[in-house]
Amino acid sequence: MGTNTFDIIKSSGEKDKFSLDKLRASLNRIGADKQTVNQIIDKVRDELYQGISTKEIYNRAYALLKKEKSYLASKYKLKKAIYELGPTGFPFERFIGSILKYSGYETEVDKTLQGQCVTHEIDVIANKNGETSVIECKFHSEEGLNCNVKIPLYINSRYNDVKAFWNANPRNGSKLTNGWVVTNTRFTEDALQYGKCVNLYLLSWDYPKNDGLKDRIDRLGLYPITVSTLLTNREKQFLLSRDVVLCRELIGDAFYLDHLGISEIRKTKIINEIKMLCNH
């Protein structure tokens, strides 16, 4: 076994190989500078032991980042922060609506649309260039719960029902052209194959390649409020209950932080962290 590869224990109890190159790649992805990356790799390497779990390795890297540069630690915990939008799916729906809004769409969240047969509750409606998309969000609050083929099958039938009624109505100023399924986890191979076959757009944590949810969030700087390393869980839940889902919503409008009774010194630290996060 090379010095760069170690046995780890997966959640299933099976042994796997963990490469420090994977850790390096994840640190590079969030924009950590070379010196910071090398320091963390060196410290983690010194603490590795046979049978260590991947989770422990990444938790250690996160703790080191938090100590060095908190905004990088925020980016590093993005996947976990998305899970923390739960337990209900509504903050995730608002989050997806915000990502599309900043991508040039006009959006509405949580609307009821008439179908040809029945009415449907739609998570997000997005309009751009005279074309409308209906988007269904499948939120999972824990890892490992991937979307199987039943999800796009079900959503495609709903989309076709809404589409038939929408496009037959001349009062609608746009054509309904796309159905989407968005999840914070992953799709099974069957789900992806079905989505391609019926032309349903699927968006997951890392699909499509280089344009998945994590890529869009990083590219647009649209981080959920739950990534903050400086806000407490209680404060995050308060903000989510007031429909503050994006970190950038606090820049230039610290009203909610004032409402929480956060001190001026701490408020300045929180806003500075958010500015660095959203601008990198």
Side-chain angles (χ1 to χ4, degrees), residues 37-251:
V37 172
N38 288 337
Q39 282 175 351
I40 289 172
I41 293 287
D42 288 343
K43 284 177 183 172
V44 169
R45 183 190 283 116
D46 291 343
E47 296 170 14
L48 285 171
Y49 56 86
Q50 293 295 94
I52 191 171
S53 69
T54 309
K55 188 176 179 181
E56 283 178 80
I57 293 167
Y58 281 107
N59 280 348
R60 186 62 188 133
Y62 170 72
L64 292 166
L65 270 176
K66 190 175 176 181
K67 207 171 165 185
E68 294 288 323
K69 295 176 179 175
S70 66
Y71 78 93
L72 287 178
S74 294
K75 291 180 80 169
Y76 200 66
K77 71 167 283 192
L78 176 59
K79 193 172 190 179
K80 185 171 181 282
I82 300 288
Y83 288 116
E84 289 172 10
L85 286 170
T88 71
F90 187 60
F92 183 64
E93 293 166 20
R94 277 190 46 80
F95 180 60
I96 296 303
S98 297
I99 287 177
L100 291 171
K101 182 182 169 187
Y102 280 93
S103 301
Y105 289 85
E106 292 175 20
T107 59
E108 292 179 281
V109 177
D110 195 26
K111 303 293 285 186
T112 300
L113 291 182
Q114 180 64 50
Q116 192 166 347
C117 302
V118 293
T119 57
H120 301 271
E121 288 181 12
I122 304 296
D123 293 336
V124 184
I125 304 168
N127 186 281
K128 190 177 186 180
N129 301 328
E131 294 186 351
T132 296
S133 303
V134 290
I135 294 127
E136 285 297 292
C137 301
K138 284 296 160 192
F139 175 76
H140 296 295
S141 56
E142 53 185 281
E143 289 191 65
L145 298 174
N146 295 338
C147 288
N148 63 29
V149 71
K150 290 178 186 175
I151 303 293
L153 267 166
Y154 167 63
I155 288 172
N156 192 53
S157 64
R158 296 181 71 212
Y159 163 63
N160 284 326
D161 189 39
V162 170
K163 183 181 179 180
F165 185 82
W166 179 288
N167 288 344
N169 188 343
R171 283 182 296 176
N172 286 323
S174 65
K175 284 289 181 187
L176 188 54
T177 55
N178 293 296
W180 291 37
V181 189
V182 182
T183 183
N184 61 313
T185 55
R186 290 183 168 92
F187 293 103
T188 62
E189 285 302 316
D190 276 358
L192 292 173
Q193 191 176 336
Y194 179 78
K196 283 178 187 172
C197 183
V198 297
N199 205 26
L200 195 65
Y201 187 78
L202 303 185
L203 176 64
S204 73
W205 175 249
D206 55 4
Y207 182 88
K209 191 177 179 184
N210 300 322
D211 201 26
L213 204 48
K214 66 176 180 182
D215 302 298
R216 292 174 185 231
I217 293 166
D218 282 334
R219 191 165 61 234
L220 296 165
L222 298 176
Y223 296 93
I225 204 77
T226 43
V227 299
S228 174
T229 64
L230 301 177
L231 289 166
T232 66
N233 285 336
R234 183 187 71 82
E235 289 163 351
K236 290 173 187 177
Q237 287 308 312
F238 172 85
L239 292 167
L240 289 174
S241 72
R242 301 301 189 278
D243 288 342
V244 179
V245 180
L246 296 179
C247 283
R248 68 166 60 230
E249 289 174 298
L250 289 177
I251 299 174

Side-chain angles (χ1 to χ4, degrees), residues 81 252 279:
N279 292 331

